[in-house]
Amino acid sequence: MKGRYLSLAATGAALCLTTVTLTGCGAVPGLGGDNEVTLRVVAADYGDNPQNSSEAYWKDLAASFEKDNPGVHVEVSVYSWSEVDAKVAAMVKEGKAPDIAQIGAYADYAEAGKLYTADELLSVTTEADFLGPLADAGKVKRVQYGMPFVASTRLLFYNTKLLGDAGVIPKDGSGSWQPKSWADLEAAAKKLKAAGVPTPMAVPLGREEAQAESMMWMLAGGGGYTDNEEAYAIDSPENVKSFEFLRDKMVGQGLTGPVEPGKLDRQAAFDAFTRGEVGMLNGHPTLIKQAAGKGVKFAMVPMPTVDGTDHSAMGVADWVMAFKNGHKAESGKFLDHLYSAKNVTAFTNKYDLLPVTTSGYRAMEAASGGSAAQLKTFLTALPTARLYPVGKKSWAGVSEDVKQNIGKVVQPGGQPAKVLEDIASTARKADNER
């Protein structure tokens, strides 16, 4: 899930840049060799080194599919997240679109009429298995084209030693801390600052993933990028108040560390957390291994909200789509195979990501051992999570606008209402020009 609106695996990773081709053979029952079909699939690499590249997963998936579907060959090209979207775009431009692509965004291709709809491809059972919010996020004008591949939610991470030393929790780090409101966050950050913690609360609004950090605070404040009708509402009163809180209570009181939020990238904040320099920050599942690998003791809780009442958490997904290449039936069968509970959990377990199907969700709920217990905290928030408005063709431009400008709103003297109004105005104009 890419850092645009988050790719979990791409963050801070030196990814494998090679392309791999996976093939097989056979014959469709009742058909001659002349009727054999080759499906070309392009996928993203979620590994951070050649040893844990996604190549192995797709190789096994292709082999098992070909065994059950003789006559259909599967060729899979796996690219790093830094190049996979561009590779697919180039293929489409050249008139050589793959049959199936597992990448970061689908709306442009759907708007251009290049994709099959989900109900043209999938069995009823597979289509109904997607978690509701994720299926909805894959729709353009109420029709689903994007099929979620893997997902993530975000939680508030905190360093138990630092909070213990600061008196927020027992000195030995035992017990659980359950902050409910932003007032709880502010109080804890003040204690951390008094205890000499360099960054009591990291708020990374730098370019790497400013759109994600912004959305977490917007949702926790009762707002979001869009309203209930999916119209852009970036300049809503709720969003303005959220950024005023960050400007006045967190940044203004020196609780966000030596690097101003607009210049702090997500991975830099994660790295500081793993060095024991950050008391609290919002994070996704990849931080679990990063922090544990450095010996940092931490815990995770849902993001507190402005007033302690429940609001939607943020969810993120990467996408699968099928191009209109004349292989609708074969592509549909392959996607049904991809979304079986066994194959979904094989991938999510490998990369500590969340399943996008109800069957996969239930399988993870029932799992034990390893990182399953920690991931369940993220999993709990998934069914009701809100995602980026990725069904809007305008979203890519809006996301870039946020990355460039949102840091200004929390600077001393910043004007959240003005900055958000400018972003929202540009977003609405772009949306109306579709």
Side-chain angles (χ1 to χ4, degrees):
M1 233 154 298
K2 200 173 172 189
R4 42 190 195 277
Y5 51 90
L6 165 66
S7 170
L8 300 179
T11 306
L15 300 178
C16 176
L17 299 179
T18 60
T19 303
V20 294
T21 302
L22 317 170
T23 61
C25 59
V28 176
L31 296 178
D34 292 341
N35 292 298
E36 293 182 358
V37 168
T38 296
L39 285 181
R40 294 184 299 116
V41 180
V42 173
D45 195 343
Y46 286 74
D48 60 4
N49 61 69
Q51 285 67 48
N52 71 350
S53 168
S54 302
E55 172 186 348
Y57 171 82
W58 288 102
K59 180 179 180 179
D60 291 344
L61 187 77
S64 59
F65 176 77
E66 290 173 343
K67 181 178 179 181
D68 293 337
N69 295 272
V72 183
H73 304 293
V74 181
E75 295 180 354
V76 185
S77 299
V78 179
Y79 298 97
S80 74
W81 266 117
S82 64
E83 60 180 350
V84 67
D85 288 332
K87 287 285 187 182
V88 171
M91 292 175 187
V92 173
K93 186 176 181 179
E94 294 170 3
K96 299 177 181 178
D99 293 288
I100 295 169
Q102 183 271 299
I103 52 178
Y106 64 87
D108 282 8
Y109 302 125
E111 288 270 1
K114 296 182 180 297
L115 303 180
Y116 291 117
T117 64
D119 63 0
E120 289 179 303
L121 296 160
L122 304 175
S123 68
V124 173
T125 303
T126 300
E127 188 177 6
D129 200 25
F130 290 126
L131 292 171
L134 301 178
D136 288 342
K139 295 178 179 179
V140 173
K141 298 177 182 177
R142 303 185 186 281
V143 177
Q144 185 178 358
Y145 296 90
M147 290 156 279
F149 180 60
V150 288
S152 171
T153 55
R154 305 298 175 87
L155 294 173
L156 179 72
F157 284 67
Y158 65 88
N159 183 309
T160 55
K161 182 180 186 304
L162 295 181
L163 266 68
D165 291 345
V168 178
I169 60 177
K171 180 76 173 178
D172 62 3
S174 64
S176 61
W177 182 51
Q178 296 292 333
K180 294 297 183 183
S181 70
W182 289 353
D184 296 333
L185 277 185
E186 180 187 353
K190 286 180 176 178
K191 290 183 177 181
L192 288 163
K193 181 182 180 182
V197 175
T199 302
M201 175 86 197
V203 182
L205 292 175
R207 281 189 51 82
E208 181 184 343
E209 219 183 13
Q211 81 286 1
E213 184 73 15
S214 297
M215 185 172 177
M216 283 181 271
W217 288 98
M218 289 177 181
L219 292 175
Y225 282 114
T226 58
D227 60 21
N228 291 334
E229 301 301 320
E230 294 304 312
Y232 281 118
I234 299 167
D235 55 349
S236 69
E238 293 83 2
N239 290 343
V240 172
K241 289 179 180 178
S242 294
F243 285 104
E244 287 177 343
F245 169 81
L246 286 174
R247 180 195 63 188
D248 299 338
K249 300 298 185 180
M250 301 303 288
V251 178
Q253 297 188 91
L255 304 179
T256 55
V259 181
E260 63 179 88
K263 296 180 179 179
L264 180 64
D265 281 338
R266 169 76 58 199
Q267 190 58 48
F270 281 12
D271 291 344
F273 186 80
T274 66
R275 293 193 300 267
E277 299 169 2
V278 174
M280 305 175 290
L281 83 168
N282 294 314
H284 50 65
T286 55
L287 184 55
I288 294 174
K289 285 186 176 178
Q290 291 179 23
K294 296 290 186 178
V296 173
K297 302 298 183 183
F298 63 92
M300 302 168 294
V301 292
M303 171 69 165
T305 63
V306 59
D307 55 5
T309 59
D310 289 340
H311 292 301
S312 295
M314 175 183 161
V316 180
D318 289 329
W319 302 96
V320 171
M321 62 218 69
F323 287 86
K324 292 180 177 179
N325 288 348
H327 297 153
K328 181 172 65 175
E330 295 84 0
S331 293
K333 286 184 178 180
F334 182 78
L335 291 171
D336 282 337
H337 182 65
L338 171 68
Y339 285 110
S340 69
K342 176 184 177 181
N343 289 326
V344 167
T345 53
F347 194 89
T348 55
N349 289 345
K350 183 177 178 68
Y351 295 106
D352 281 347
L353 296 170
L354 303 182
V356 298
T357 59
T358 299
S359 57
Y361 179 92
R362 289 172 178 165
M364 182 171 280
E365 274 192 318
S368 60
S371 59
Q374 291 175 312
L375 286 174
K376 285 178 185 178
T377 310
F378 289 92
L379 189 69
T380 300
L382 187 59
T384 58
R386 285 184 63 181
L387 283 75
Y388 297 112
V390 290
K392 291 179 176 290
K393 185 178 179 180
S394 58
W395 168 243
V398 173
S399 176
E400 183 61 28
D401 200 2
V402 171
K403 290 180 180 182
Q404 291 183 9
N405 295 297
I406 204 68
K408 300 174 185 176
V409 306
V410 299
Q411 294 173 340
Q415 301 179 38
K418 177 65 168 63
V419 175
L420 294 179
E421 182 181 355
D422 289 345
I423 295 173
S425 177
T426 302
R428 293 184 187 113
K429 181 179 179 181
D431 206 35
N432 290 333
E433 291 175 349
R434 290 186 304 166

